[in-house]
Amino acid sequence: MIFLFIAFTALLLLGLPIFLAMAGSAMAVVAWDGIPLGVVAQRVISGVQSFPLLAVLLFTLAGSLMNESGISDRLFAFTRAIVGHIRGGLAQTAVIGNVFLAGISGSSVADCAATARVFVPQLTRAGYGQGFAAALSASVATLGPIIPPSILMVIYAWQANISLGDLFWAGVIPGLVMAVALMIATGIVAARRGYPKDDAFSVARLWAAFKHAIWALLMPVLILSGFRAGVFTATEIAGVAALYALIVGKFIYRTLHWSALPRILLATAKETAVILVIVGAAAPFSWILGIEEAPRLIAEAVKQLTSEPWVILLLLNVVLLILGMVMETIAIMIILVPILIPLLTTFGIDLTHFGIVLLVNLVIGQLTPPVGVLLFVSSSVSRTPLAMLLREMTPFLVALIATLMMLTYLPSLSLWLPRALNH
Amino acid sequence: MGSLGRAVVPPARAPGPLARALVRADDAAAKVEDAFLIAAHAVIALLVVAAVGFRYVLHDPLTWSQEFIVGLFTWLIFIGAAAAIRSRMHIRIDALGAVFARPSWSFMNWVGVVVGTLIVAALLWAGLLNASDIRGVQTPMLDVAQVWFDGALPVALALLLLHIVRILVERDAAAVFASQLENLDAAAGP
């Protein structure tokens, strides 16, 4: 096990893509142990031959089709009509807008790019600091993987063998709590700096914006209703969501053109492949950890340290936050979840609750240097120097870490909704 | 995936005659990859939606569709992974990118490429061994040779090797595994 992790770390530090680092380290161990190399290939292939994982491809497609239809602009106009009139209203629009955007796209990177593209120029023109605008765009994008649909949730539910529908519903309240925390942080900064507000609230403007956004707003309702019905698989719901996005973009909003479809299909195929090839490469990696009984050894070692679930959760939060600073989200999830599940089960920690805690940790990791993908996306899209952006991150990180602690120690925030709907 | 120490991707350089042939071959492979990915994705999406209609509306499920879709999905993932190296979409952690950008450490980029290429070649070999092992194995629903599904891995890895060599010839070692998030100005791939 130690050799596996040393080899993996060395290959990562050499700058290899994560899937090659995983496959390479697994092959080194397999070759060392005299196991036929064909086993590694067989594990990599069977690691991706899964019908539930198709939901990743189709939810990504649905999100891309919606984005291509200019949906983010409609959602932002709608949310501006709701909160634009309060102090720092344009910044609050970015927060609420991302709640709705998260209900469509499921990818924090896509949400961050859309938010930074739309909001950083507008906020800067309205007198907000550019660093603040870019930091806000990165921070609000963390709602993407928490509010359903979520690509990370699809992968976690598949790994942990839990209901994806339950996990999707479990993300709703935590996502809203995160949004409120980000609104509070934004509100405090806006009040201190005297950031502007829009004209007074107008019902007519809200109604007009609502009518423009209604079809987009219905997409998360469609997805969650599909899970609520309990008869459709996640992949089928994702397929129908993609069809819905196509119909809305092409025939209702009329902003999606047939000529754009090949580009969208190609981009989403590659985006999905980049994620799922890591899932495939992780299969022999996890198989070796299983053979060497790593999950059991770790569970026993932790049991000797403590028998209190709240201490375990605290330790996991610390470890995940540190890992999130230095490793990529998918890699952390794919390596750690198979190892952690026996530990969590031993201590009676609900896997759906832990899924939400894990995802919140991972999205905070996307905001922390040196490896914080949302920092780079926001910085690059908005052409804001990283140092300027980083100086403005503190209030958002404080808000998100406070939310993480709430979600960790108040499991009902995650579990109440799925349990209420199942009874 | 980037880090605060960003690697610098050098611009493309003018290729010689042999390199031009390689570039042409790689361009042809890239066109086939892209066409396949578009078609496979469209077929998968259509079949999933059609299967929903047949199952819930017509009450006549397409029993063969799930296995076919998973097989096509396998190809999409591996061919997509090969194509993604051209678009610099693969996720890596370039924690030492800034260090490797220094002249005295630039040889480490070559070490990375050599090691990475060896891993791809070894995995390709493993994929061929697996294909040989599963000769005669038929899929349960479609009753076709399993190797039609599992062959995706070695085919994709062969394409990946071609793309790696092309990037190496056209740019240099630092560009091979670079991510578009590390240096947007140089992100336009080959």
Side-chain angles (χ1 to χ4, degrees):
Chain A
M1 181 170 71
I2 292 168
F3 177 54
L4 181 73
F5 277 105
I6 290 174
F8 176 60
T9 309
L11 293 174
L12 278 185
L13 289 176
L14 261 182
L16 297 192
I18 290 167
F19 82 97
L20 283 182
M22 283 183 150
S25 51
M27 277 195 295
V29 173
V30 162
W32 183 265
D33 290 346
I35 300 169
L37 266 187
V39 172
V40 174
Q42 192 270 327
R43 293 268 159 190
V44 170
I45 295 163
S46 59
V48 297
Q49 284 179 334
S50 154
F51 197 70
L53 285 180
L54 258 166
V56 175
L57 178 73
L58 297 173
F59 277 131
T60 306
L61 176 62
S64 298
L65 289 169
M66 278 296 198
N67 278 336
E68 185 73 20
S69 308
I71 210 63
S72 50
D73 296 338
R74 289 170 188 264
L75 290 174
F76 292 147
F78 172 60
T79 49
R80 191 166 186 178
I82 301 173
V83 293
H85 63 284
I86 63 175
R87 177 69 58 199
L90 188 54
Q92 302 290 13
T93 302
V95 183
I96 305 290
N98 267 269
V99 171
F100 293 114
L101 204 56
I104 290 168
S105 85
S107 157
S108 55
V109 171
D111 293 355
C112 181
T115 309
R117 176 182 56 78
V118 172
F119 278 96
V120 175
Q122 282 192 41
L123 285 164
T124 312
R125 275 198 303 274
Y128 294 76
Q130 188 179 348
F132 171 81
L136 176 74
S137 300
S139 304
V140 296
T142 56
L143 298 170
I146 312 299
I147 295 176
S150 157
I151 304 308
L152 291 180
M153 282 185 183
V154 175
I155 295 172
Y156 175 81
W158 175 75
Q159 281 188 296
N161 199 22
I162 60 169
S163 158
L164 179 61
D166 283 358
L167 190 60
F168 270 15
W169 281 108
V172 173
I173 293 176
L176 296 177
V177 172
M178 280 172 70
V180 170
L182 289 169
M183 283 187 77
I184 292 170
T186 304
I188 291 170
V189 176
R192 279 189 178 172
R193 298 183 185 173
Y195 283 150
K197 48 186 173 182
D198 285 353
D199 299 337
F201 177 77
S202 153
V203 174
R205 193 168 55 219
L206 179 64
W207 177 243
F210 175 74
K211 281 194 292 185
H212 271 90
I214 178 67
W215 293 102
L217 294 169
L218 281 176
M219 185 151 141
V221 176
L222 172 86
I223 291 167
L224 287 172
S225 306
F227 281 110
R228 178 79 186 93
V231 287
F232 302 103
T233 66
T235 303
E236 289 170 342
I237 293 167
V240 173
L243 178 67
Y244 176 83
L246 180 68
I247 291 169
V248 169
K250 177 67 193 158
F251 300 107
I252 297 174
Y253 290 155
R254 298 181 184 194
T255 43
L256 183 66
H257 305 289
W258 291 124
S259 58
L261 268 187
R263 177 174 48 78
I264 296 169
L265 289 168
L266 181 61
T268 51
K270 286 186 190 173
E271 282 166 26
T272 306
V274 163
I275 294 171
L276 292 187
V277 77
I278 299 175
V279 173
F285 196 91
S286 302
W287 176 67
I288 291 167
L289 289 176
I291 286 177
E292 300 194 358
E293 298 191 313
R296 187 184 61 78
L297 293 172
I298 289 169
E300 283 177 3
V302 173
K303 257 165 123 175
Q304 288 182 346
L305 278 176
T306 180
S307 57
E308 294 292 336
W310 73 268
V311 180
I312 301 290
L313 285 169
L314 185 65
L315 286 173
L316 285 174
N317 276 334
V318 172
V319 169
L320 288 167
L321 284 173
I322 293 169
L323 281 176
M325 293 170 78
V326 294
M327 270 185 78
E328 202 279 330
T329 307
I330 299 273
I332 297 173
M333 203 166 90
I334 287 169
I335 294 170
L336 282 191
V337 169
I339 297 175
L340 291 179
I341 282 175
L343 175 72
L344 299 165
T345 311
T346 305
F347 285 90
I349 296 167
D350 187 281
L351 293 181
T352 303
H353 169 227
F354 179 73
I356 299 299
V357 173
L358 171 75
L359 292 182
V360 176
N361 269 295
L362 295 182
V363 294
I364 292 174
Q366 292 184 323
L367 290 177
T368 47
V371 178
V373 68
L374 296 180
L375 301 176
F376 297 106
V377 171
S378 181
S379 156
S380 300
V381 172
S382 66
R383 301 286 163 192
T384 304
L386 261 174
M388 186 191 277
L389 187 161
L390 286 170
R391 277 199 295 273
E392 300 282 355
M393 282 304 300
T394 307
F396 301 116
L397 283 173
V398 169
L400 289 172
I401 289 171
T403 310
L404 171 64
M405 289 299 128
M406 278 175 68
L407 296 173
T408 303
Y409 293 113
L410 295 172
S412 54
L413 287 174
S414 308
L415 298 178
W416 177 79
L417 197 51
R419 283 179 181 166
L421 290 165
N422 283 335
H423 291 291
Chain B
M1 170 65 57
S3 79
L4 286 184
R6 291 178 171 202
V8 176
V9 178
R13 55 178 174 240
L18 260 179
R20 276 201 295 274
L22 177 77
V23 166
R24 275 199 298 274
D26 188 67
D27 281 342
K31 276 183 188 161
V32 174
E33 276 175 1
D34 288 354
F36 170 78
L37 289 171
I38 292 165
H41 194 170
V43 169
I44 288 170
L46 286 173
L47 270 180
V48 168
V49 173
V52 172
F54 272 85
R55 184 174 159 198
Y56 298 105
V57 181
L58 302 177
H59 303 290
D60 181 19
L62 300 174
T63 47
W64 55 271
S65 67
Q66 187 159 327
E67 195 175 277
F68 179 77
I69 290 169
V70 168
L72 197 54
F73 185 50
T74 309
W75 277 89
L76 180 139
I77 290 168
F78 291 122
I79 298 294
I85 200 110
R86 292 187 279 113
S87 324
R88 305 195 201 294
M89 289 170 74
H90 277 293
I91 304 165
R92 70 167 188 168
I93 297 162
D94 66 326
L96 299 178
V99 177
F100 294 172
R102 294 180 198 150
S104 55
W105 282 93
S106 61
F107 71 95
M108 289 303 291
N109 292 313
W110 278 99
V111 174
V113 170
V114 169
V115 172
T117 307
L118 285 175
I119 291 171
V120 175
L123 197 54
L124 170 56
W125 176 243
L128 293 172
L129 288 177
N130 175 60
S132 166
D133 289 345
I134 59 166
R135 266 181 311 177
V137 177
Q138 301 292 112
T139 64
M141 294 302 298
L142 296 171
D143 197 30
V144 296
Q146 180 70 34
V147 76
W148 281 107
F149 290 3
D150 290 18
L153 181 68
V155 170
L157 290 168
L159 290 166
L160 183 59
L161 278 178
L162 178 64
H163 299 325
I164 288 173
V165 175
R166 188 255 176 91
I167 298 170
L168 205 53
V169 165
E170 212 172 47
R171 292 172 182 253
D172 86 352
V176 172
F177 297 124
S179 158
Q180 56 181 293
L181 289 177
E182 292 160 21
N183 187 342
L184 287 183
D185 294 332

